[in-house]
Amino acid sequence: MLGQRMRHFRGLAGLTLEQLGAAVGIAGSQLSLIENGRKEPRLSLLTRIAETLEVPLADLLADAPPSERAALEIELDQLQRSPVYASLGLPPVRAAKTMTDETLLSIVGLHRELARREREAIATPEEARRANTGLRQRMRSLDDYLPEIERLAEETVRGVGHTAGALTHRSVSRIAERLGFELVHVGDLPHSARSVTDLENGRIYLPPASIPGGHGLRSMALQAVAHRLLGHEEPLTYADFLQQRLEINYFAAACLMPESLAVGFLEEAKKERDIAVEDFRDAFGVTHEAAALRLTNLLTSHLGIRLHFLRVGGEGGVYKAYENDGLRLPVDVTGSTEGQLVCRRWAARVAFTRTNRTTEFYQYTDTPEGTFFDSTQTGTTRAEEFSITVGVPFADAKWFRGRETTNRATSRCPDQSCCARPPQDLANRWTGRAWSSAKLHAHILSPLPSGTFPGVDDRELYEFLEAHAALED
Ligand SMILES: [Zn+2]
């Protein structure tokens, strides 16, 4: 900046490098080095330069570009030093005096766009999957427990006098008020935003209350508040973005089901040998999924029970999964589990075949990694069905409701012959005698099931064909 300002004031004074150099007693070439930021001048020399140019020394040393043109020159210089530009192997362009403002603006504009695209390219699906897998592994090593956020949430809800049961919407508003925010429900939020916070006017904009009393709104408001409480800044990488999202979700869950109350409830249930996600869910007025996920934070850290959690879609793909009990989750080569199909014999999928789905489904499953006890609840969104599963190793089933179930299954996955391949007779019967085309997957992380037809599960396809052929007969 100093060099830029010197060149600016020298230009205004109408002096060449040689003329100014002669006036202050150094060679013009030395002065050029200073103006180009390659050499630090002594204060005594700067004082003489300021006197010669008839500007206050403070003006010479000020920290702002002396003109719009100089600002562009500085920006060009900085952008050309970026790793993205360096990777292109192109020579740096000097913003010579002869370069027109248009040319300079155009080059800087292209650089800005290059930088923007580079930032955008970071958020590729591959990067997202890598970051997501890294985060899952880190959380597993922590038994999915973040004591600092637990403490912060506990203080926050105590601050508004919440001591039992479900956290009311009124309490959530007061939490926001204490931070200087008003909750405003609007119908025109940007489609891609869950909430928008107006820092200047102290407002948190949320979608309209379509389901009065639904836990989603309290959770979203708490998540918006969490960004402020946790001091989040604009995320620079996809990993940062995911970490922040995990933290705000964690905070919201820890407010809705505060550690002390939740652990008290679970210890009581354990004493009765009657731990049930449905009871925990109802005690705190949250969704089944939120309650099940909350158990992953608390069961190992406070009750010493290792567990797994699965949210699986109607077609059997993983949306979310967690385990610290040794259950072998389906993963792809990068270690990512989202979008992978879980075994058809697991409770998470068997539950879809039941006709009565109002209560939880219980099942023991023998796997190559041991026997697990699972409790699964199914549900439906506008788009599709899903199931929420919480399971534990056989030895810990004794603490859970449903342990007397006689449902038992054997899974040999990831051995393909377990359930991935169609039965041999169906394969013989239908291979080459049918055709199917795939639905497009909205879920960005879903890989395509690899059957004969891209995107179509050929086992399901053949079973469908067989069933219908039988009907027609
Ligand atoms: Zn299987």
Side-chain angles (χ1 to χ4, degrees), residues 117-388:
R117 290 194 184 203
E118 184 68 12
R119 275 197 305 277
E120 200 177 69
I122 290 172
T124 58
E126 296 80 57
E127 176 63 22
R129 290 168 81 92
R130 247 199 311 279
N132 202 40
T133 301
L135 190 57
R136 193 162 47 76
Q137 285 163 350
R138 199 157 61 251
M139 288 311 289
R140 185 191 196 277
S141 73
L142 298 171
D143 287 333
D144 211 26
Y145 179 62
L146 299 175
E148 274 152 43
I149 297 185
E150 296 285 359
R151 260 196 302 281
L152 183 64
E154 195 89 30
E155 281 165 23
T156 304
V157 296
R158 278 178 198 278
V160 295
H162 175 64
T163 52
L167 186 67
T168 62
H169 201 274
R170 172 85 193 107
S171 296
V172 175
S173 297
R174 290 187 47 221
I175 289 171
E177 273 164 34
R178 283 163 67 102
L179 277 169
F181 288 99
E182 181 194 355
L183 302 180
V184 186
H185 296 279
V186 293
D188 59 346
L189 269 187
H191 284 295
S192 53
R194 306 181 81 177
S195 70
V196 172
T197 301
D198 176 346
L199 296 173
E200 197 168 295
N201 299 300
R203 292 193 194 119
I204 295 174
Y205 293 104
L206 296 162
S210 53
I211 309 165
H215 122 281
L217 276 182
R218 283 175 290 148
S219 181
M220 261 190 278
L222 289 166
Q223 288 175 28
V225 164
H227 278 303
R228 315 305 320 149
L229 276 172
L230 295 164
H232 284 168
E233 290 178 3
E234 207 180 311
L236 294 177
T237 63
Y238 203 82
D240 286 348
F241 165 75
L242 287 181
Q243 175 73 29
Q244 290 186 358
R245 210 175 55 166
L246 179 139
E247 289 179 7
I248 62 171
N249 282 326
Y250 196 112
F251 175 81
C255 284
L256 291 165
M257 297 159 269
E259 186 174 28
S260 55
L261 296 175
V263 170
F265 184 95
L266 292 170
E267 276 173 344
E268 206 51 45
K270 187 183 173 195
K271 221 177 288 168
E272 304 288 323
R273 297 187 167 227
D274 197 27
I275 299 177
V277 180
E278 53 185 341
D279 286 3
F280 186 63
R281 166 196 79 196
D282 296 343
F284 291 95
V286 295
T287 62
H288 201 87
E289 179 172 7
L293 270 173
R294 188 68 176 130
L295 293 190
T296 65
N297 304 144
L298 302 175
L299 274 191
T300 310
S301 58
H302 293 276
L303 282 79
I305 299 173
R306 300 191 158 266
L307 75 165
H308 57 265
F309 163 91
L310 292 164
R311 181 188 161 123
V312 167
E315 58 205 6
V318 173
Y319 274 69
K320 268 184 218 162
Y322 170 81
E323 63 73 33
N324 69 353
D325 62 359
L327 178 76
R328 187 204 276 260
L329 298 175
V331 291
D332 66 13
V333 285
T334 70
S336 176
T337 187
E338 286 76 11
Q340 299 297 306
L341 295 172
V342 302
C343 179
R344 281 168 216 269
R345 322 250 183 251
W346 286 11
R349 286 184 76 177
V350 174
F352 288 123
T353 64
R354 287 200 312 156
T355 41
N356 176 6
R357 300 200 195 161
T358 48
T359 53
E360 291 180 270
F361 168 71
Y362 307 110
Q363 177 181 298
Y364 286 95
T365 313
D366 299 324
T367 79
E369 281 70 41
T371 300
F372 294 88
F373 167 75
D374 285 284
S375 123
T376 299
Q377 177 70 54
T378 53
T380 321
T381 65
R382 211 175 308 167
E384 72 155 6
E385 343 172 70
F386 61 92
S387 71
I388 304 294

Side-chain angles (χ1 to χ4, degrees), residues 343-345 411-413 415 418-420:
C343 179
R344 281 168 216 269
R345 322 250 183 251
S411 159
R412 286 176 289 108
C413 274
D415 180 342
C418 169
C419 65

